[in-house]
Amino acid sequence: MPQSPVAIDSKLPWVGTTIFTVMSKLAAECGAINLSQGFPDFQADRSLFDAVHQAMLDGRNQYAPMTGLPELRQAIAAKVQALYGTVYDAESEITVTAGATQALFTAIAAFAGPGDEVIVFAPVYDSYVPAIETVGAKAVYANLCYPDYKPDWNEVRALITPRTRMIIVNTPHNPTGSLLDAADLEALAELTRDTNIVVLGDEVYEHICFEGEHQSLARHPELAARSLIVSSFGKTYHITGWKIGYCYGAAALMAEFRKVHQFNVFTVHAPSQVGLAAFMADHSRHLQLAEFYRQKRDFFRQQLAGTKFELLPSRGTYFQLARYDAISDLPDTEFAQWLTREVGVAVIPVSVFYPDGWDDKVVRFCFAKQESTLAAAGEKLRGI
């Protein structure tokens, strides 16, 4: 292997391999049940695969339009209007992306740059800050505190400066499973009123909300006008490996988003877009998703009943947080490794989502699994 003579000035010197990759690799090495990385261990509906296959046979194998196939963008617009009551133009306000992570990076790159500040909420999903720093901006942290992980809008107000260019909100929230409510949206609207702040909404778990209706930024007219909103077909249809998502927002914001999108991705796998557009015609597939995952959440919580884990509320997403201080004094990263190696269940330590590694002795389980998988994990965890 050649040795590079290049002196590298890394843009992200502090970034290593993501915790999701680390824990999934450890789970595979140990033969542990992997409840760490957030992906289902069950298949999507066969009809989706058939629709994509048919699109390939029909010759839909060349570049799709940069913004996404018209029929898919129209289906997205119809769904958003039906759910949230806001009309988005399929031609100018919706873009199909190579997953939600690409959409989030593109939105950050389109609006933040050197000298800008972007407010994020810790525990913060791990892709936001590297994207912010890659474009030369600075992440500014507000706190979501154990055990309810609700935002303190007075804290956010104090963090806003003339350099604040963007605020990123994630609801339902990964990793905590907390939700923003209507009062939170009103507070965010008041804070950003008469500013040039762009709000970026990570709403990939929009259909997995267990307590009332999902409070999308699209529901709030004032916020909708300054927001880019990201969602994910992977989370909705159990196809995380396809890496297809979408972003929507006001035309002026979307025009800037597309300037970046067209030169870092340009377009997304065409046959999959055809299949997804057809698959979306059955609205029950997203309308019934919350109940589908509610049953899995409740089943998993029953598996842990009687253990020494303290289960926190899971109001949305397919994640369950649990405090383990009655089991061990280990830091959460060491506890997660011990649990994987010695008990045979892999989890994610929540401290990795904090910039300072703040540790409440809380770990994250993913319950997007077959009941047999959750039952097997429960048997191991009850033995602690």
Side-chain angles (χ1 to χ4, degrees), residues 317-377:
T317 74
Y318 45 52
F319 301 117
Q320 172 66 60
L321 294 192
R323 197 161 193 242
Y324 64 85
D325 62 319
I327 299 172
S328 172
D329 290 328
L330 288 172
D332 64 358
T333 52
E334 294 180 27
F335 178 79
Q337 293 170 1
W338 174 83
L339 199 67
T340 304
R341 291 193 174 101
E342 303 301 326
V343 180
V345 179
V347 296
I348 296 292
V350 172
S351 68
V352 301
F353 298 97
Y354 286 94
D356 58 359
W358 181 263
D359 185 358
D360 288 306
K361 291 185 166 49
V362 175
V363 293
R364 190 197 77 176
F365 296 90
C366 174
F367 55 79
K369 310 295 177 182
Q370 301 175 71
E371 283 197 0
S372 59
T373 305
L374 298 175

Side-chain angles (χ1 to χ4, degrees), residues 6-34:
V6 177
I8 298 172
D9 183 13
S10 175
K11 289 188 175 182
L12 302 171
W14 54 273
V15 170
T17 306
T18 72
I19 189 66
F20 308 108
T21 299
V22 169
M23 294 310 300
S24 287
K25 182 175 183 290
L26 183 61
E29 291 172 352
C30 298
I33 298 170
N34 190 357

Side-chain angles (χ1 to χ4, degrees), residues 55 60 64-65 68-78 90 96 270-271 273-278 280:
R60 305 293 296 273
L69 287 175
E71 57 263 47
L72 182 54
R73 286 183 282 116
Q74 289 161 6
I76 294 166
V96 179
Q273 291 193 56
V274 177
L276 285 165
M280 287 183 72

